[in-house]
Amino acid sequence: MRTPILLVHGGAWAIPEDAAAAHENGVRNALDAGHRVLTRGGSAIDAVEAAVTVLEDDPTFDAGRGSFLTSDGRVQLDALLMDGGRMKAGGVACVERIRNPIQAARLVLEQSPHVYFVGAGAEEFAQSHGMPLIENAELVLDRERERLKIAREREAAGLADATFSGLEDDKGPETAIPRVIDSSHDTVGAVALDTDGNIAAATSTGGTLNKTPGRVGDSSLIGCGCYADNLSAAVSLTGWGEPIMKLVLGKWATDRVAAGTAPAFAAREAISYLHNRLGGHGGIILLGPDGRFGMAHNTPAMAWGLATEHGLETGLKI
Ligand code: ASP
Protein backbone atom coordinates (compact mmCIF):
# COMPACT_ATOMS: atom_id res chain seq x y z
CA MET A 1 0.00 0.00 0.00
CA ARG A 2 1.34 3.42 -0.99
CA THR A 3 1.51 6.45 1.27
CA PRO A 4 -0.78 9.01 -0.36
CA ILE A 5 0.57 12.34 -1.59
CA LEU A 6 -1.23 15.43 -2.82
CA LEU A 7 0.16 18.64 -4.32
CA VAL A 8 -1.94 21.64 -5.26
CA HIS A 9 -1.24 25.04 -6.78
CA GLY A 10 -3.20 28.25 -6.99
CA GLY A 11 -1.34 30.04 -9.74
CA ALA A 12 2.12 31.47 -10.35
CA TRP A 13 2.67 35.24 -10.55
CA ALA A 14 3.79 38.14 -8.41
CA ILE A 15 1.22 37.45 -5.67
CA PRO A 16 1.15 40.79 -3.79
CA GLU A 17 1.22 40.97 -0.01
CA ASP A 18 -2.45 41.87 0.30
CA ALA A 19 -3.39 38.70 -1.62
CA ALA A 20 -0.92 36.35 0.11
CA ALA A 21 -3.10 35.16 2.99
CA ALA A 22 -6.09 34.44 0.75
CA HIS A 23 -3.91 32.38 -1.58
CA GLU A 24 -2.34 30.39 1.21
CA ASN A 25 -5.69 29.77 2.93
CA GLY A 26 -7.16 28.68 -0.38
CA VAL A 27 -4.51 26.08 -1.10
CA ARG A 28 -4.70 24.89 2.53
CA ASN A 29 -8.47 24.31 2.21
CA ALA A 30 -7.95 22.45 -1.04
CA LEU A 31 -5.27 20.28 0.54
CA ASP A 32 -7.57 19.46 3.43
CA ALA A 33 -10.35 18.36 1.09
CA GLY A 34 -8.14 16.30 -1.22
CA HIS A 35 -6.06 14.74 1.51
CA ARG A 36 -9.18 13.66 3.40
CA VAL A 37 -10.20 11.66 0.33
CA LEU A 38 -6.79 10.00 0.08
CA THR A 39 -6.43 9.12 3.76
CA ARG A 40 -9.82 7.39 3.67
CA GLY A 41 -8.49 5.19 0.89
CA GLY A 42 -10.14 7.21 -1.89
CA SER A 43 -8.73 7.39 -5.40
CA ALA A 44 -6.26 9.94 -6.75
CA ILE A 45 -8.85 11.09 -9.31
CA ASP A 46 -11.42 11.73 -6.56
CA ALA A 47 -8.77 13.61 -4.55
CA VAL A 48 -7.74 15.98 -7.36
CA GLU A 49 -11.39 16.63 -8.21
CA ALA A 50 -12.17 17.43 -4.57
CA ALA A 51 -9.15 19.73 -4.21
CA VAL A 52 -9.84 21.62 -7.43
CA THR A 53 -13.54 21.97 -6.59
CA VAL A 54 -12.55 23.84 -3.41
CA LEU A 55 -10.25 26.12 -5.41
CA GLU A 56 -12.95 26.77 -8.02
CA ASP A 57 -15.38 27.72 -5.25
CA ASP A 58 -12.87 30.18 -3.77
CA PRO A 59 -13.18 33.54 -5.57
CA THR A 60 -9.51 34.28 -4.82
CA PHE A 61 -8.52 32.19 -7.81
CA ASP A 62 -8.94 32.41 -11.56
CA ALA A 63 -11.18 29.34 -11.74
CA GLY A 64 -14.94 29.06 -11.30
CA ARG A 65 -16.64 32.09 -9.73
CA GLY A 66 -14.37 35.13 -9.63
CA SER A 67 -12.43 34.23 -12.79
CA PHE A 68 -10.98 36.81 -15.15
CA LEU A 69 -13.38 38.11 -17.77
CA THR A 70 -13.31 37.85 -21.54
CA SER A 71 -12.99 41.09 -23.50
CA ASP A 72 -16.79 41.24 -23.66
CA GLY A 73 -17.25 40.73 -19.94
CA ARG A 74 -18.11 37.05 -19.53
CA VAL A 75 -16.57 34.19 -17.58
CA GLN A 76 -15.47 31.33 -19.86
CA LEU A 77 -14.00 28.33 -18.08
CA ASP A 78 -11.70 25.46 -19.10
CA ALA A 79 -10.88 22.33 -17.06
CA LEU A 80 -9.31 18.91 -17.50
CA LEU A 81 -8.65 15.93 -15.33
CA MET A 82 -6.80 12.75 -16.11
CA ASP A 83 -6.62 9.38 -14.35
CA GLY A 84 -3.17 7.88 -14.88
CA GLY A 85 -4.22 4.41 -13.72
CA ARG A 86 -7.06 3.95 -16.20
CA MET A 87 -5.59 6.34 -18.80
CA LYS A 88 -8.89 8.17 -18.93
CA ALA A 89 -9.29 11.91 -19.42
CA GLY A 90 -12.18 14.35 -19.44
CA GLY A 91 -12.10 17.99 -20.45
CA VAL A 92 -14.37 20.96 -21.06
CA ALA A 93 -13.58 24.36 -22.53
CA CYS A 94 -15.34 27.68 -22.99
CA VAL A 95 -18.17 26.76 -20.64
CA GLU A 96 -20.14 29.69 -19.28
CA ARG A 97 -23.00 28.16 -17.27
CA ILE A 98 -21.20 25.59 -15.11
CA ARG A 99 -20.21 26.41 -11.53
CA ASN A 100 -17.60 23.67 -11.22
CA PRO A 101 -16.09 22.84 -14.60
CA ILE A 102 -13.80 20.21 -13.03
CA GLN A 103 -16.92 18.26 -12.08
CA ALA A 104 -18.21 18.55 -15.64
CA ALA A 105 -14.83 17.28 -16.84
CA ARG A 106 -15.20 14.32 -14.45
CA LEU A 107 -18.60 13.54 -15.96
CA VAL A 108 -16.97 13.52 -19.39
CA LEU A 109 -14.24 11.21 -18.11
CA GLU A 110 -16.68 8.75 -16.55
CA GLN A 111 -19.75 8.92 -18.74
CA SER A 112 -18.72 9.65 -22.29
CA PRO A 113 -16.90 7.69 -24.99
CA HIS A 114 -15.44 11.09 -25.93
CA VAL A 115 -12.72 12.96 -24.08
CA TYR A 116 -13.37 16.65 -24.64
CA PHE A 117 -16.39 18.93 -25.05
CA VAL A 118 -16.57 22.66 -25.71
CA GLY A 119 -19.08 25.47 -25.28
CA ALA A 120 -22.79 24.76 -25.54
CA GLY A 121 -22.16 21.07 -26.26
CA ALA A 122 -20.22 20.70 -23.01
CA GLU A 123 -22.98 22.45 -21.08
CA GLU A 124 -25.67 20.26 -22.65
CA PHE A 125 -23.64 17.14 -21.88
CA ALA A 126 -23.24 18.16 -18.23
CA GLN A 127 -26.91 19.06 -17.90
CA SER A 128 -28.02 15.79 -19.46
CA HIS A 129 -25.95 14.01 -16.80
CA GLY A 130 -27.62 15.82 -13.93
CA MET A 131 -25.55 18.98 -13.50
CA PRO A 132 -27.63 22.15 -13.08
CA LEU A 133 -26.73 25.05 -15.37
CA ILE A 134 -26.42 28.55 -13.91
CA GLU A 135 -26.45 32.09 -15.27
CA ASN A 136 -23.02 33.35 -16.32
CA ALA A 137 -23.62 36.47 -14.20
CA GLU A 138 -23.40 34.27 -11.08
CA LEU A 139 -19.73 33.70 -11.87
CA VAL A 140 -18.89 37.38 -12.47
CA LEU A 141 -17.58 39.54 -9.63
CA ASP A 142 -17.52 43.37 -9.55
CA ARG A 143 -13.81 43.08 -8.74
CA GLU A 144 -13.31 41.45 -12.15
CA ARG A 145 -15.49 43.98 -13.98
CA GLU A 146 -13.19 46.67 -12.60
CA ARG A 147 -10.05 44.68 -13.50
CA LEU A 148 -11.32 44.24 -17.05
CA LYS A 149 -12.13 47.94 -17.34
CA ILE A 150 -8.56 48.84 -16.38
CA ALA A 151 -7.10 46.23 -18.77
CA ARG A 152 -9.20 47.57 -21.62
CA GLU A 153 -8.22 51.16 -20.87
CA ARG A 154 -4.57 50.11 -20.85
CA GLU A 155 -5.07 48.32 -24.14
CA ALA A 156 -6.72 51.37 -25.69
CA ALA A 157 -3.78 53.48 -24.49
CA GLY A 158 -1.33 51.05 -26.12
CA LEU A 159 -0.22 49.67 -22.74
CA ALA A 160 -1.67 46.20 -23.18
CA ASP A 161 -0.68 43.58 -20.66
CA ALA A 162 2.53 41.83 -21.61
CA THR A 163 0.73 38.49 -21.49
CA PHE A 164 -1.04 39.27 -24.71
CA SER A 165 1.03 41.52 -26.80
CA GLY A 166 4.26 42.80 -25.53
CA LEU A 167 7.52 41.86 -23.97
CA GLU A 168 9.49 43.78 -21.44
CA ASP A 169 12.49 44.52 -23.55
CA ASP A 170 13.26 44.58 -27.22
CA LYS A 171 16.02 42.00 -27.38
CA GLY A 172 13.78 39.49 -29.13
CA PRO A 173 11.85 36.45 -28.01
CA GLU A 174 14.90 34.53 -26.81
CA THR A 175 15.74 36.96 -24.05
CA ALA A 176 12.65 39.06 -23.47
CA ILE A 177 10.68 38.38 -20.30
CA PRO A 178 7.00 39.28 -19.95
CA ARG A 179 6.14 41.76 -17.24
CA VAL A 180 4.94 39.16 -14.79
CA ILE A 181 3.99 41.81 -12.27
CA ASP A 182 1.24 42.91 -14.65
CA SER A 183 -0.03 39.49 -15.56
CA SER A 184 -1.52 37.45 -12.78
CA HIS A 185 -1.95 33.71 -13.25
CA ASP A 186 -4.36 32.29 -10.70
CA THR A 187 -5.20 29.04 -12.44
CA VAL A 188 -5.55 26.11 -10.05
CA GLY A 189 -4.43 22.50 -10.16
CA ALA A 190 -3.69 19.33 -8.23
CA VAL A 191 -1.78 16.07 -8.62
CA ALA A 192 -2.21 13.05 -6.35
CA LEU A 193 -0.95 9.56 -5.60
CA ASP A 194 -3.40 7.20 -3.86
CA THR A 195 -2.92 4.16 -1.66
CA ASP A 196 -3.39 1.85 -4.66
CA GLY A 197 -0.44 3.51 -6.40
CA ASN A 198 -2.50 5.38 -9.01
CA ILE A 199 -1.78 8.99 -9.95
CA ALA A 200 -4.09 11.68 -11.31
CA ALA A 201 -3.97 15.35 -12.28
CA ALA A 202 -6.50 18.17 -12.61
CA THR A 203 -6.29 21.79 -13.82
CA SER A 204 -9.02 24.43 -13.96
CA THR A 205 -8.95 28.03 -15.16
CA GLY A 206 -10.82 31.10 -16.24
CA GLY A 207 -7.96 31.72 -18.66
CA THR A 208 -6.29 35.07 -19.17
CA LEU A 209 -7.72 38.51 -18.43
CA ASN A 210 -9.37 40.24 -21.41
CA LYS A 211 -9.04 37.13 -23.57
CA THR A 212 -10.94 37.06 -26.84
CA PRO A 213 -14.12 34.95 -26.43
CA GLY A 214 -13.46 31.39 -27.57
CA ARG A 215 -9.77 31.45 -26.68
CA VAL A 216 -8.61 28.23 -25.01
CA GLY A 217 -5.30 28.14 -23.13
CA ASP A 218 -3.00 25.34 -22.03
CA SER A 219 -4.78 24.42 -18.80
CA SER A 220 -7.43 22.06 -20.17
CA LEU A 221 -5.46 20.66 -23.09
CA ILE A 222 -4.10 17.15 -22.62
CA GLY A 223 -0.32 17.18 -22.26
CA CYS A 224 -0.15 20.97 -22.06
CA GLY A 225 -1.44 22.23 -18.68
CA CYS A 226 -2.38 18.80 -17.33
CA TYR A 227 -1.41 15.17 -17.83
CA ALA A 228 -1.23 11.91 -15.88
CA ASP A 229 -0.01 8.41 -16.71
CA ASN A 230 1.01 5.79 -14.15
CA LEU A 231 3.92 4.94 -16.46
CA SER A 232 5.39 8.45 -16.20
CA ALA A 233 3.99 11.14 -13.86
CA ALA A 234 1.12 13.50 -13.07
CA VAL A 235 1.50 17.21 -13.79
CA SER A 236 -0.41 20.49 -13.55
CA LEU A 237 0.88 23.82 -14.87
CA THR A 238 -0.03 27.45 -14.61
CA GLY A 239 1.31 30.50 -16.39
CA TRP A 240 1.34 32.12 -19.75
CA GLY A 241 -0.72 29.58 -21.69
CA GLU A 242 0.31 30.11 -25.30
CA PRO A 243 4.02 29.18 -24.88
CA ILE A 244 3.09 26.25 -22.60
CA MET A 245 0.79 24.92 -25.33
CA LYS A 246 3.37 25.27 -28.06
CA LEU A 247 5.87 23.24 -26.03
CA VAL A 248 3.27 20.65 -24.89
CA LEU A 249 5.07 21.22 -21.64
CA GLY A 250 3.15 18.90 -19.32
CA LYS A 251 3.90 15.88 -21.49
CA TRP A 252 7.47 17.10 -21.96
CA ALA A 253 7.96 17.04 -18.18
CA THR A 254 6.31 13.65 -17.62
CA ASP A 255 8.35 12.12 -20.45
CA ARG A 256 11.50 13.27 -18.64
CA VAL A 257 10.34 11.47 -15.51
CA ALA A 258 9.60 8.32 -17.54
CA ALA A 259 13.15 8.52 -18.91
CA GLY A 260 14.58 8.52 -15.39
CA THR A 261 14.87 12.18 -14.39
CA ALA A 262 13.83 12.91 -10.80
CA PRO A 263 10.59 14.95 -10.71
CA ALA A 264 12.26 17.68 -8.63
CA PHE A 265 14.80 18.16 -11.40
CA ALA A 266 12.35 17.66 -14.29
CA ALA A 267 10.09 20.39 -12.85
CA ARG A 268 12.94 22.89 -12.84
CA GLU A 269 14.06 21.80 -16.31
CA ALA A 270 10.54 22.28 -17.69
CA ILE A 271 10.32 25.85 -16.42
CA SER A 272 13.82 26.64 -17.75
CA TYR A 273 12.84 25.19 -21.12
CA LEU A 274 9.66 27.32 -21.14
CA HIS A 275 11.70 30.43 -20.52
CA ASN A 276 14.72 29.66 -22.67
CA ARG A 277 12.76 28.49 -25.69
CA LEU A 278 9.86 30.94 -25.75
CA GLY A 279 10.39 33.53 -23.01
CA GLY A 280 7.45 32.05 -21.11
CA HIS A 281 6.74 32.19 -17.41
CA GLY A 282 4.76 29.95 -15.11
CA GLY A 283 4.81 27.24 -12.50
CA ILE A 284 4.54 23.45 -12.33
CA ILE A 285 3.72 20.66 -9.88
CA LEU A 286 4.91 17.19 -10.85
CA LEU A 287 4.46 13.83 -9.07
CA GLY A 288 5.78 10.38 -9.97
CA PRO A 289 4.03 7.08 -9.18
CA ASP A 290 6.89 6.32 -6.75
CA GLY A 291 5.91 9.35 -4.65
CA ARG A 292 8.82 11.57 -5.67
CA PHE A 293 7.66 15.05 -6.61
CA GLY A 294 8.85 18.45 -7.80
CA MET A 295 7.62 22.02 -7.95
CA ALA A 296 9.11 25.02 -9.75
CA HIS A 297 8.20 28.49 -11.00
CA ASN A 298 10.00 31.38 -12.65
CA THR A 299 7.46 33.94 -11.49
CA PRO A 300 8.09 35.85 -8.24
CA ALA A 301 5.67 33.52 -6.42
CA MET A 302 3.46 30.46 -6.77
CA ALA A 303 0.78 29.42 -4.27
CA TRP A 304 1.44 25.76 -3.46
CA GLY A 305 0.40 23.10 -0.99
CA LEU A 306 1.80 19.68 -0.21
CA ALA A 307 0.28 16.85 1.84
CA THR A 308 2.45 13.85 2.73
CA GLU A 309 2.73 11.46 5.67
CA HIS A 310 4.63 14.28 7.40
CA GLY A 311 1.61 16.60 7.34
CA LEU A 312 0.33 19.56 5.34
CA GLU A 313 2.52 22.43 4.15
CA THR A 314 1.75 25.54 2.12
CA GLY A 315 3.83 28.36 0.75
CA LEU A 316 4.13 31.13 -1.82
CA LYS A 317 7.63 30.45 -3.04
CA ILE A 318 9.65 27.32 -3.77
N1 ASP B 1 -2.45 29.00 -18.14
C1 ASP B 1 -3.68 29.74 -18.06
C2 ASP B 1 -4.12 30.13 -19.43
O1 ASP B 1 -3.30 30.55 -20.23
C3 ASP B 1 -3.58 30.95 -17.22
C4 ASP B 1 -3.05 30.70 -15.85
O2 ASP B 1 -2.28 29.78 -15.61
O3 ASP B 1 -3.42 31.46 -14.94
O4 ASP B 1 -5.30 30.06 -19.70
Side-chain angles (χ1 to χ4, degrees):
M1 198 173 92
R2 286 252 167 230
T3 308
I5 296 182
L6 175 68
L7 283 97
V8 304
H9 72 77
W13 56 294
I15 304 170
E17 216 154 274
D18 60 359
H23 279 75
E24 233 174 311
N25 290 339
V27 291
R28 163 77 56 170
N29 293 337
L31 270 187
D32 282 340
H35 198 236
R36 212 174 306 131
V37 172
L38 292 172
T39 51
R40 287 181 186 154
S43 64
I45 191 78
D46 280 345
V48 294
E49 182 186 345
V52 167
T53 294
V54 168
L55 293 162
E56 287 179 341
D57 286 340
D58 185 335
T60 302
F61 301 100
D62 177 33
R65 184 166 168 274
S67 286
F68 293 149
L69 302 182
T70 56
S71 55
D72 63 356
R74 284 176 287 156
V75 165
Q76 269 190 356
L77 303 169
D78 312 330
L80 180 84
L81 41 67
M82 191 153 175
D83 180 335
R86 292 182 289 161
M87 281 307 279
K88 291 189 83 156
V92 295
C94 293
V95 292
E96 299 184 0
R97 295 185 296 158
I98 291 177
R99 186 171 295 280
N100 289 107
I102 203 68
Q103 294 178 3
R106 182 69 187 271
L107 283 176
V108 174
L109 184 150
E110 299 294 350
Q111 317 251 2
S112 173
H114 308 305
V115 167
Y116 204 95
F117 285 81
V118 299
E123 292 168 356
E124 278 158 30
F125 176 84
Q127 188 178 36
S128 70
H129 288 80
M131 183 169 282
L133 299 184
I134 60 168
E135 291 298 319
N136 190 252
E138 290 182 43
L139 301 170
V140 178
L141 297 189
D142 283 344
R143 177 193 75 196
E144 295 307 322
R145 288 197 182 95
E146 186 55 27
R147 210 198 293 262
L148 177 65
K149 189 169 155 264
I150 293 166
R152 293 195 59 76
E153 282 166 6
R154 281 170 60 85
E155 190 177 53
L159 296 167
D161 189 299
T163 301
F164 308 107
S165 59
L167 295 165
E168 196 169 55
D169 62 32
D170 58 5
K171 296 194 200 94
E174 287 80 19
T175 54
I177 302 167
R179 292 187 306 259
V180 292
I181 305 291
D182 293 346
S183 44
S184 72
H185 291 294
D186 269 336
T187 288
V188 304
V191 292
L193 168 67
D194 64 29
T195 51
D196 290 334
N198 292 311
I199 53 175
T203 307
S204 180
T205 190
T208 45
L209 173 60
N210 195 23
K211 67 184 179 184
T212 304
R215 177 263 188 192
V216 178
D218 64 299
S219 307
S220 69
L221 299 184
I222 293 180
C224 297
C226 184
Y227 193 73
D229 180 352
N230 273 15
L231 298 186
S232 56
V235 67
S236 175
L237 285 121
T238 174
W240 188 20
E242 279 70 10
I244 295 171
M245 288 155 79
K246 285 186 261 183
L247 298 176
V248 198
L249 197 58
K251 185 68 164 58
W252 187 95
T254 60
D255 282 350
R256 293 258 149 161
V257 177
T261 304
F265 192 68
R268 289 200 297 274
E269 273 190 331
I271 295 301
S272 298
Y273 176 47
L274 174 65
H275 181 251
N276 296 339
R277 185 71 183 95
L278 292 175
H281 64 257
I284 183 171
I285 55 175
L286 182 62
L287 172 66
D290 59 2
R292 291 186 301 165
F293 60 86
M295 297 187 260
H297 59 94
N298 64 352
T299 46
M302 176 169 85
W304 61 269
L306 168 68
T308 64
E309 79 255 47
H310 305 302
L312 272 49
E313 269 180 86
T314 61
L316 296 179
K317 279 186 179 58
I318 308 298

